[in-house]
Amino acid sequence: MIPVMVSGGVALAVSLFGTPLFIRMLVRKQYGQFIREDGPTSHHVKRGTPTMGGVVIIVAMLLGYAVANVVSFLRNDGLAPMSVSGLLLIFLIVGLGLVGFADDFTKISKERSLGLSPIAKIVGQGGVGIIFSFLVLQFPNAHGVRPATMSISFLRDTGLNLALGATAVGILLFMVWANFLITAWSNAVNLTDGLDGLATGISMFVFGAYVLITLWQLNQDCQNLLVESARCYTTRDPLDLAIVTAAIVGACLGFLWWNASPAQIFMGDTGSLALGGALAGLSILTRTELLAVIIGGMFVVIVASSVIQIGFFKISGGKRVFRMAPLHHHFELAGWKEITIVIRFWLIAAVFAAVGLAIFYAQWVSSEPVG
């Protein structure tokens, strides 16, 4: 538990005190956000606000994770919780963060609201996703447990195995499935990052829920219990995943101090793609791929609003369901204050996360206990 607390605390401190330094550097270099012309007119005053704040979130997470492992190493006579699962999750976060950074830097250098071309962005996300999805099926530990399996999961692995009796086919189908999750979640957080503090606050609730899930899986780890039962979990490295996740929560909390309305810095695609990738990776590594849809339900609702808007617009020949999509812009045009929208969406996100945790715990309670 101490490494988890250290990870979150260090990441919080680095993000809280490092963000203003990063803001000053961005202002000095005139690296500001360009606002899309077809967005709400109230957003035009935000033009020039420093962006790429996701760099601070990622750096804070990395430092929190590193310090926690050093502390654990010193406390446990040379043993540290650092594992292949944690390192692969960090690879996914940093890799997608670099794709987002390239997108943000393109916007700044070319002074436009559009960054990388859609093809370049898909190639970048796909490249990172392919490497991640292949590697998580490797590296069995002493108990033969790998970071991920080829089964689609809800609260645990389900009976729906993508292998279909052929390992090669299963690996290919799993890579397609994993890349769908990575692309979907990274774009979901990216769409949500449209109001000051909105995506950052929602991320805190979502990843806070995953800190509890990973700690519970650690407490009920099949590899540590003397008798395996239906209640235990086969997550390969729950402690290390908890350390990474706590670092994300701490980094987001510190960043939110400066990202809350009126934002002094935006996370940009650097942060939104990294956080979305983190959520996708955690859902795969903790065997909760479908449960993540509930825990991250606010992200899902916002994506759904855009899908509905685009689909209905095409079907109806130009009519709209919402004043503007994503959903938060609809309420802006309806006259809601930005801070009101953000706080209410945070509250809804908290409810989604709580419901997801309740379902997760209820399944454990209803499982067959150790005889």
Side-chain angles (χ1 to χ4, degrees):
M1 190 65 179
I2 289 179
V4 176
M5 296 172 63
V6 169
S7 177
V10 171
L12 168 61
V14 171
S15 183
L16 182 62
F17 298 109
T19 300
L21 301 178
F22 191 62
I23 292 172
R24 293 193 198 104
M25 185 197 76
L26 294 175
V27 170
R28 194 162 53 245
K29 293 181 176 294
Q30 298 184 327
Y31 286 172
Q33 177 73 39
F34 288 84
I35 306 299
R36 48 184 277 203
E37 295 298 327
D38 59 341
T41 56
S42 60
H43 286 207
H44 292 171
V45 298
K46 300 181 181 183
R47 182 183 177 91
T49 302
T51 187
M52 296 192 296
V55 170
V56 178
I57 295 175
I58 294 172
V59 170
M61 177 208 69
L62 291 174
L63 289 176
Y65 177 76
V67 172
N69 272 277
V70 170
V71 169
S72 184
F73 181 85
L74 295 175
R75 291 181 68 250
N76 295 293
D77 299 322
L79 297 176
M82 183 178 290
S83 68
V84 67
S85 296
L87 293 175
L88 285 173
L89 181 58
I90 287 174
F91 164 78
L92 181 62
I93 295 169
V94 174
L96 290 177
L98 289 174
V99 175
F101 180 84
D103 189 63
D104 287 332
F105 192 77
T106 301
K107 296 174 186 175
I108 294 169
S109 61
K110 296 189 177 181
E111 299 186 354
R112 66 187 191 190
S113 60
L114 297 176
L116 296 175
S117 67
I119 294 178
K121 206 167 183 178
I122 290 173
V123 169
Q125 289 175 294
V128 175
I130 288 170
I131 295 172
F132 171 82
S133 59
F134 176 76
L135 291 179
V136 293
L137 294 177
Q138 316 304 318
F139 308 109
N141 63 10
H143 301 274
V145 179
R146 303 173 192 270
T149 68
M150 287 182 279
S151 293
I152 292 177
S153 59
F154 176 34
L155 301 166
R156 304 168 186 267
D157 282 341
T158 67
L160 183 54
N161 194 314
L162 297 173
L164 301 175
T167 303
V169 173
I171 292 175
L172 180 60
L173 290 177
F174 172 80
M175 291 173 70
V176 172
W177 168 242
N179 274 273
F180 166 75
L181 294 176
I182 292 167
T183 302
W185 281 118
S186 58
N187 289 332
V189 180
N190 186 251
L191 275 176
T192 304
D193 187 32
L195 298 181
D196 296 353
L198 180 59
T200 310
I202 293 174
S203 295
M204 285 174 52
F205 288 111
V206 172
F207 289 107
Y210 265 104
V211 171
L212 297 178
I213 286 174
T214 50
L215 286 175
W216 190 255
Q217 289 181 335
L218 172 65
N219 184 54
Q220 299 294 323
D221 189 356
C222 292
Q223 300 167 59
N224 295 330
L225 297 177
L226 295 178
V227 180
E228 186 172 325
S229 73
R231 282 189 168 185
C232 68
Y233 297 91
T234 56
T235 306
R236 187 188 189 283
D237 307 295
L239 175 57
D240 206 24
L241 294 178
I243 292 173
V244 177
T245 311
I248 295 172
V249 174
C252 286
L253 178 58
F255 183 74
L256 184 60
W257 183 271
W258 308 99
N259 183 232
S261 182
Q264 299 180 50
I265 187 171
F266 302 136
M267 71 165 67
D269 284 17
T270 308
S272 61
L273 295 189
L275 291 175
L279 179 51
L282 273 170
S283 73
I284 292 169
L285 295 168
T286 59
R287 320 288 203 267
T288 56
E289 294 158 356
L290 300 182
L291 180 64
V293 175
I294 299 173
I295 293 175
M298 194 66 248
F299 291 133
V300 176
V301 169
I302 289 173
V303 169
S305 69
S306 291
V307 173
I308 291 170
Q309 183 85 323
I310 294 170
F312 189 76
F313 184 86
K314 291 181 178 180
I315 294 172
S316 65
K319 295 181 180 180
R320 292 177 171 83
V321 176
F322 307 104
R323 289 180 171 91
M324 181 180 289
L327 188 60
H328 41 274
H329 293 325
H330 166 80
F331 289 108
E332 274 193 291
L333 296 184
W336 290 25
K337 292 183 179 179
E338 180 174 351
I339 189 65
T340 301
I341 299 169
V342 170
I343 291 176
R344 287 177 178 174
F345 277 31
W346 284 354
L347 294 175
I348 297 171
V351 171
F352 272 120
V355 170
L357 285 173
I359 294 172
F360 178 81
Y361 181 68
Q363 190 279 329
W364 180 84
V365 170
S366 64
S367 299
E368 180 186 352
V370 175

